[in-house]
Amino acid sequence: MTVALERTTPATPSSPSPLATAPPRPARLVLTPKTTLSGQLDGAWWPRSRDLAAELPVLVAALAEPWGRITRVTVNPTRWPVIPHKVLAAGHTLHVGWFTEQDPDKLILLSYTVGRWDLLVVPPQTAPAAAARLMAAAAVPGSVLTARALIAAEAVIGRRPDLRNREDAWESEGGARVSDIGSLARLPVGPLSAGAWW
């Protein structure tokens, strides 16, 4: 079963400011359930903007419970206009790096004590229905689909209303079933890459 998390960051005592009175924004993320199947992604994150300094503290605070202390993050600079070298997050310094070879639609999180996690980054401007499809697909245990393949597949679905309507009809008619491995099974909705179907 895939679980969607919307966690808020804990309030921190500080001097009053206009921003301090705003309620904390939840991190919009979905994590792949723990199974013996390893896949390309460990879940998906849907930030509200392309501002890493504002978005990373919310994400890291939300992941503190399931994954522990995140110490490093890497991104591809193609999708992020400004990449700060360090960000204060969850009471510690988070080191941010970038690699042009990294998938532009993926965020890599590292912890010295626990390991590495790869998250699909859903573009902030994505419509809620498309974001839900992307996040569900990224959290399928054992999936061999990369972040780039998922974004490309969603672009096809977004341009083809007939594919989107077929998927909506399937879901609304109770077409989803629990597969043998316990994850949600779905009908193929279109090609993802050369010869691959989802």
Side-chain angles (χ1 to χ4, degrees), residues 9-196:
T9 56
T12 55
S14 63
S15 61
S17 74
L19 296 176
T21 59
R25 300 179 315 162
R28 301 182 294 186
L29 72 131
V30 174
L31 303 178
T32 305
K34 289 185 179 184
T35 69
T36 56
L37 300 172
S38 61
Q40 291 287 322
L41 298 168
D42 299 298
W45 173 48
W46 186 19
R48 289 177 169 77
S49 72
R50 290 288 183 186
D51 181 356
L52 282 172
E55 298 292 340
L56 285 176
V58 177
L59 175 64
V60 170
L63 292 173
E65 183 183 326
W67 288 353
R69 184 175 171 168
I70 306 297
T71 55
R72 296 191 179 277
V73 173
T74 65
V75 298
N76 183 311
T78 305
R79 303 282 195 257
W80 305 96
V82 176
I83 301 174
H85 295 290
K86 296 179 182 179
V87 173
L88 185 62
H92 68 280
T93 301
L94 180 67
H95 298 273
V96 183
W98 57 269
F99 296 97
T100 56
E101 298 83 15
Q102 182 174 319
D103 186 330
D105 300 304
K106 183 169 74 172
L107 176 86
I108 298 175
L109 301 153
L110 302 164
S111 169
Y112 286 125
T113 58
V114 183
R116 168 187 164 158
W117 302 275
D118 295 14
L119 295 179
L120 166 72
V121 178
V122 177
Q125 72 279 7
T126 305
R133 285 191 296 269
L134 283 166
M135 293 177 87
V140 173
S143 176
V144 296
L145 300 175
T146 64
R148 182 172 296 184
L150 291 173
I151 294 290
E154 183 54 43
V156 170
I157 292 170
R159 288 190 306 265
R160 300 266 318 267
D162 58 319
L163 293 176
R164 190 172 53 245
N165 292 340
R166 182 172 25 149
E167 181 180 355
D168 292 343
W170 171 253
E171 293 293 333
S172 67
E173 293 171 0
R177 70 167 182 85
V178 176
S179 72
D180 298 333
I181 59 170
S183 63
L184 195 62
R186 302 166 69 146
L187 277 181
V189 294
L192 291 177
S193 60

